[in-house]
Amino acid sequence: MAVKRRKFKTEVQQLLNLVIHSLYTHPEIFLRELISNASDAVDRARFEALSDKTILGDDADWKVRIIPNKAAKTLTISDNGIGMSVDELEKNIGTIANSGTRHFMEQLKDAKESSAPELIGQFGVGFYSAFMVADKVTLITRRAGSDTALKWVSDGAGSYTIEEVEKASRGTDIILHLKEGMEEYLDEWRLRKIIKTYSDFVEHPVVMDITRTRKKDDSDEEETTVTEETLNSRKAIWTRPKSEVTDEEYNEFYKHISHDFQDPAAWMHWNVEGTTEFRGLIYLPAKAPYDLFTPDASKRGVQLYVRRVFITDKCDALVPSWLRFLRGVVDSSDLPLNVSRETLQEERVIRVIQKNVVKKVLDTLSDMLTNDREKYTRFWKEFGKVLKEGIHLDLANREKLEELALFESSKTAAGDHSTLKEYVDRMPESQKEIYYITGESRAAVEKSPLLEQFTARDIEVLFLTDPIDEWVTQSMNAYADKPLKSIAKGDIELDDSEDVKKEKEETDKQFAELVAFLKEELKDKVKDIRMSNRLTDSACCLVSDEYDMGVHMEKIMRAMHGDETMPGAKRILELNPGHSLVTALNGMVKNTAKHVTLKKYAGLLVDQAKLTAGMELDNPVDFARDISAIMAESLTK
């Protein structure tokens, strides 16, 4: 057969330029594509050998071989698969986007072959990614069962040549003549990294001859050895039945993909069949990574594969952000991708997969909460902050996440937790609301004067000490038809009996003059002043209006914006009518001669309330000076 020069079919120059310059984001993708094609060719040979043993010949050791040649600046990807005839070469390589794999699968479908291999290539353009790194590509192929080999050569400029050559065995060799500046793809470490990233779980071994030079024992002489090494692990345990995978293998695989040194807390391994088919192996880590709250943390969790070939670990739609701590693999057999396999073509399928993954994770966590509370509590302490994000963000799963949420409370020991259901079960019949308080820590909220009346009445209060809790409570307005109520906001009515109402009216009248005086004196510092029914021991406290931002939330917002000077909302000053200090101040207001002193005490009262609320003082120096003056006055009397 003489050398023949042919032009590519279709509007090739434009399409080829698109493939080479626009279709793929990263040049290294070429190796993934060519290894995938080689793996497909091996699968086809294995399949056809089931009915035609002559295809095997003397070579049944299926593999894909990588051959870098730094002297010639070539990289060869070789397989011992099915090879191509001249007609197949014309159709599969000479016509862009005419995939041989796709046609093969269509033929098998028509023939209703149930044992067909799962082949990766579907679009017929992956081969041309080679031109991203090569200015010339030589392909030598021999069809299994044929004595004729063919050589295809092209520089990607719109034409190619085909001629007959000699080749000792079946299969295909693709020789890339690398462009200037692409020599990195001849380095062992670079090839290892790409194969580890994209083709680590390809079923067939991807091998390369590794040359090592070392000194001989007890001698200064050096010896060189060449050893064939397999570069991919091939341990795609998610493709195996669960009954055949040991706990040790699950743990080992988790460490392999997560780079974590300890065993996971749990794992989920399942298959989904139907209109959307995929396999999943998802892990719950035991410890939160250090970068859990960094922007890129969600892009390295669950890896997306298509028939064991890595596609991406940056598919934001695969798992929601509030599950970004998950590690594992989702492998789809029918996921629609665009021709580059880097951008999802159909979001519907991904949404179906995400919904299934989320359900599986929530069911697993619910089972852990019910059957292994200690283990679940350890998990919650590590990842509860992130799961709470789902209560705020995910309306569809909010109720399930509310059931999983754990909180400390005024009736739990430090470090122990309660679910909302357990809290409601402990509520007396007369209690209509779920009470909570937010703060930086349990130690901080336990000392809050806002708890005094609740402690006296033995009413449980939840301690919400995670920064996200302020946002969570905005979304979770109620649980089991019980409204959530912050004890630091609005007015609190723990007893709405007529006797209590009359007592409150009398108290308001008794202190009306003091309240009016303080309102005028403190009008620039507080939003309102009223007598409190939530204090028993403290003289005063600051609370937020019903719909104002809380003190803890303000601190978070300042930290987020890096602006400690950001003004906060004015608070409501509440006075304890049963405290001796308040009754003494009420006596002073009736004596105009003492109003100058009362004005000074008014400022101290607000500063005192700010301190107990965890707020910063406007002028700590003035506060310290006034306290010193009062102490000195008291000691000299």
Side-chain angles (χ1 to χ4, degrees):
M1 177 181 180
V3 177
K4 295 183 178 179
R5 179 170 295 276
R6 295 180 173 87
K7 288 188 176 182
F8 288 105
K9 297 178 182 179
T10 76
E11 295 295 330
V12 143
Q13 198 56 56
Q14 293 85 352
L15 185 53
L16 198 55
N17 284 336
L18 175 66
V19 172
I20 296 171
H21 301 295
S22 304
L23 196 57
Y24 296 95
T25 307
H26 307 292
E28 66 186 29
I29 293 296
F30 84 91
L31 191 55
R32 180 192 76 180
E33 296 295 325
L34 297 181
I35 290 175
S36 297
N37 290 345
S39 176
D40 288 351
V42 171
D43 280 333
R44 288 188 60 179
R46 290 176 61 191
F47 180 77
E48 292 191 14
L50 295 175
S51 56
D52 184 359
K53 300 297 184 183
T54 62
I55 286 177
L56 290 176
D58 297 327
D59 185 10
D61 187 14
W62 309 107
K63 64 179 63 175
V64 178
R65 184 178 295 278
I66 309 298
I67 309 170
N69 187 329
K70 290 189 176 183
K73 287 182 59 177
T74 62
L75 178 67
T76 300
I77 295 87
S78 176
D79 68 70
N80 58 352
I82 197 65
M84 286 178 280
S85 66
V86 65
D87 289 339
E88 289 171 325
L89 194 59
E90 287 274 8
K91 290 180 181 179
N92 300 337
I93 305 298
T95 305
I96 294 178
N98 189 77
S99 170
T101 297
R102 185 184 60 201
H103 279 270
F104 178 57
M105 294 300 291
E106 289 174 355
Q107 291 170 8
L108 291 176
K109 187 183 295 185
D110 293 340
K112 297 182 180 180
E113 292 281 1
S114 60
S115 59
E118 290 189 342
L119 304 182
I120 302 164
Q122 296 179 36
F123 303 101
V125 297
F127 168 79
Y128 300 98
S129 64
F131 287 105
M132 290 192 295
V133 298
D135 51 23
K136 176 183 174 183
V137 177
T138 300
L139 184 150
I140 301 173
T141 185
R142 176 179 162 184
R143 185 62 157 89
S146 172
D147 296 328
T148 303
L150 301 167
K151 179 179 178 181
W152 180 98
V153 182
S154 176
D155 60 4
S159 65
Y160 60 91
T161 63
I162 295 180
E163 62 178 305
E164 289 186 3
V165 294
E166 295 293 325
K167 190 177 188 301
S169 59
R170 70 169 188 274
T172 300
D173 301 335
I174 300 175
I175 306 164
L176 310 183
H177 304 264
L178 297 181
K179 296 176 181 178
E180 196 69 35
M182 294 295 176
E183 293 84 356
E184 64 179 286
Y185 297 111
L186 299 174
D187 293 335
E188 176 191 332
W189 71 270
R190 189 75 169 98
L191 295 170
R192 282 183 182 274
K193 183 178 180 181
I194 296 172
I195 292 168
K196 197 71 175 175
T197 299
Y198 296 103
S199 306
D200 196 37
F201 302 115
V202 169
E203 181 178 1
H204 309 295
V206 180
V207 303
M208 186 167 69
D209 287 343
I210 304 300
T211 302
R212 293 287 184 264
T213 301
R214 66 180 183 86
K215 288 185 178 181
K216 293 182 179 180
D217 295 338
D218 302 323
S219 173
D220 290 335
E221 293 183 23
E222 292 185 337
E223 63 177 0
T224 300
T225 60
V226 179
T227 306
E228 180 182 281
E229 289 189 16
T230 300
L231 306 184
N232 57 330
S233 70
R234 305 170 61 201
K235 295 179 180 179
I237 65 173
W238 67 83
T239 64
R240 293 158 52 188
K242 288 188 292 184
S243 59
E244 296 180 6
V245 185
T246 65
D247 289 355
E248 183 179 355
E249 287 177 309
Y250 278 123
N251 289 331
E252 180 185 349
F253 184 75
Y254 166 75
K255 293 172 185 177
H256 176 72
I257 63 171
S258 69
H259 307 296
D260 194 354
F261 65 90
Q262 56 187 329
D263 294 340
W267 59 79
M268 296 137 274
H269 184 187
W270 78 108
N271 296 345
V272 174
E273 297 179 352
T275 55
T276 299
E277 297 185 0
F278 70 92
R279 298 182 179 98
L281 176 53
I282 305 295
Y283 291 90
L284 300 176
K287 289 287 185 180
Y290 70 92
D291 59 350
L292 184 60
F293 293 97
T294 60
D296 291 335
S298 61
K299 297 181 180 180
R300 300 192 305 277
V302 178
Q303 301 171 356
L304 179 63
Y305 284 73
V306 170
R307 299 184 179 93
R308 300 166 66 121
V309 173
F310 175 78
I311 302 302
T312 184
D313 58 359
K314 297 180 181 179
C315 182
D316 295 333
L318 191 58
V319 294
S321 62
W322 53 270
L323 286 177
R324 59 183 175 274
F325 55 83
L326 295 178
R327 297 294 181 261
V329 169
V330 168
D331 189 344
S332 174
S333 59
D334 62 352
L335 182 65
L337 304 169
N338 74 354
V339 287
S340 73
R341 307 197 198 127
E342 292 179 289
T343 305
L344 296 175
Q345 186 182 54
E346 175 58 67
E347 290 185 0
R348 184 194 65 81
V349 177
I350 285 294
R351 287 198 300 270
V352 171
I353 294 176
Q354 186 202 79
K355 184 177 180 180
N356 195 283
V357 169
V358 171
K359 182 180 184 304
K360 196 72 175 180
V361 171
L362 293 180
D363 288 347
T364 299
L365 291 175
S366 179
D367 181 71
M368 190 188 300
L369 173 63
T370 302
N371 299 310
D372 195 341
R373 180 64 172 264
E374 184 178 348
K375 182 178 181 180
Y376 181 79
T377 300
R378 290 196 302 270
F379 176 83
W380 180 263
K381 288 179 179 178
E382 295 291 328
F383 299 102
K385 297 181 182 68
V386 186
L387 282 174
K388 286 179 184 177
E389 293 177 16
I391 297 176
H392 183 73
L393 298 172
D394 194 335
L395 179 62
N397 293 292
R398 181 172 296 164
E399 290 186 5
K400 292 181 180 179
L401 287 165
E402 289 172 357
E403 297 290 345
L404 293 171
L406 297 182
F407 305 94
E408 292 191 57
S409 81
S410 56
K411 288 193 174 182
T412 65
D416 292 341
H417 294 77
S418 171
T419 65
L420 290 172
K421 182 180 185 304
E422 291 164 348
Y423 176 99
V424 171
D425 290 343
R426 290 191 294 267
M427 285 172 54
E429 189 174 343
S430 58
Q431 184 179 334
K432 305 302 181 185
E433 296 173 309
I434 298 172
Y435 296 107
Y436 70 88
I437 182 173
T438 59
E440 294 179 353
S441 65
R442 181 187 178 105
V445 297
E446 276 184 323
K447 297 174 182 176
S448 173
L450 303 176
L451 281 173
E452 292 174 358
Q453 191 66 246
F454 292 87
T455 302
R457 294 173 176 265
D458 195 30
I459 297 175
E460 185 174 11
V461 178
L462 296 176
F463 295 161
L464 275 58
T465 56
D466 287 334
I468 194 172
D469 287 336
E470 291 274 3
W471 280 280
V472 170
T473 54
Q474 292 176 17
S475 306
M476 189 173 61
N477 298 316
Y479 172 81
D481 296 327
K482 305 287 186 182
L484 268 71
K485 172 69 175 175
S486 170
I487 67 170
K489 288 186 177 183
D491 205 357
I492 295 291
E493 295 291 346
L494 298 179
D495 188 342
D496 58 357
S497 64
E498 289 299 320
D499 289 342
V500 171
K501 289 180 179 179
K502 288 181 180 179
E503 183 180 345
K504 188 176 187 310
E505 289 175 0
E506 292 175 2
T507 299
D508 289 344
K509 289 179 182 178
Q510 180 182 350
F511 290 89
E513 190 175 352
L514 174 63
V515 169
F517 179 89
L518 294 176
K519 280 184 179 180
E520 178 62 27
E521 180 62 26
L522 300 174
K523 60 185 176 182
D524 295 329
K525 294 185 176 182
V526 297
K527 187 173 187 176
D528 195 8
I529 299 175
R530 64 192 180 204
M531 305 312 293
S532 179
N533 59 359
R534 69 181 95 205
L535 298 174
T536 59
D537 301 323
S538 301
C540 59
C541 67
L542 285 175
V543 298
S544 303
D545 210 350
E546 189 71 41
Y547 300 105
D548 283 347
M549 188 182 298
V551 173
H552 188 47
M553 173 67 89
E554 278 189 2
K555 288 184 178 181
I556 294 171
M557 295 300 292
R558 288 193 186 100
M560 288 176 60
H561 292 87
D563 183 6
E564 294 299 325
T565 64
M566 188 173 71
K570 285 185 179 181
R571 309 294 168 190
I572 299 170
L573 178 65
E574 289 193 351
L575 305 177
N576 180 3
H579 198 281
S580 57
L581 173 60
V582 177
T583 55
L585 294 176
N586 196 40
M588 290 177 67
V589 77
K590 303 180 188 305
N591 186 347
T592 55
K594 295 184 177 181
H595 280 194
V596 174
T597 304
L598 186 57
K599 289 181 180 181
K600 181 186 294 185
Y601 287 176
L604 289 172
L605 206 62
V606 173
D607 285 344
Q608 176 186 334
K610 282 186 174 182
L611 288 174
T612 59
M615 300 171 65
E616 292 186 1
L617 302 182
D618 295 333
N619 196 325
V621 175
D622 287 350
F623 177 77
R625 185 176 59 245
D626 290 342
I627 290 292
S628 298
I630 292 173
M631 292 173 66
E633 182 181 346
S634 175
L635 291 172
T636 55
K637 281 184 179 180

